[in-house]
Amino acid sequence: MIAACPNCNSLNRLPADKPAGDARCGKCKQMLFTGQPLELTSVNFAAHANKAELPLVVDFWASWCGPCKSFALVFSQAAAELEPQLRFGKINTEQQQQLAGQFNIRSIPTLMLFQQGKVVAQQAGALPKQAFYQWLSQYK
């Protein structure tokens, strides 16, 4: 499995015989899994969504969006509990308008699951924790 570093965006091969949760980046030596969502931008998005083999769950959000704020806690809890099986990232649609446009984001929050550069699932609207975990369980 190949995962991108959340700090320097370098690609790292995860050995199958070692726990992924303890993995460190070969380049910057930082932990590969922090249990927190990444802030994704046009600079680091491709490394995590297209080049890494680790499935990436993305929350497209905005600071003025009430449902986005309430869902942020559920999303953070999922990152803490479900990494390293999945990588979690957030895209601020106000700051990353190019990415929001690229994926045709019309309502927020919008959730997307990427596997090796392809969108394999999409969900518009905030979900309660149990429903979010059930949605994720179909794809991991």
Side-chain angles (χ1 to χ4, degrees), residues 20 32 37 42 63 71 87 91 103 119 124-127 129 137-138:
L32 287 180
S42 57
S63 61
F71 182 68
R87 172 78 75 192
I91 295 178
F103 293 103
V119 177
L127 295 171
K129 184 176 180 179
S137 71
Q138 301 172 63

Side-chain angles (χ1 to χ4, degrees), residues 37-42 44-45 49 56-63 68 75 88-101 103 105 108 110 112 114:
L38 305 171
E39 182 177 338
L40 295 171
T41 66
S42 57
N44 67 359
F45 179 79
L56 173 68
V57 184
V58 177
D59 175 15
F60 290 87
W61 68 283
S63 61
C68 296
F75 198 77
F88 290 80
K90 295 177 75 67
I91 295 178
N92 184 328
T93 57
E94 294 174 302
Q95 296 173 357
Q96 302 299 321
Q97 293 179 7
Q98 179 185 4
L99 283 173
F103 293 103
I105 302 301
I108 51 174
T110 291
M112 288 187 177
F114 293 84

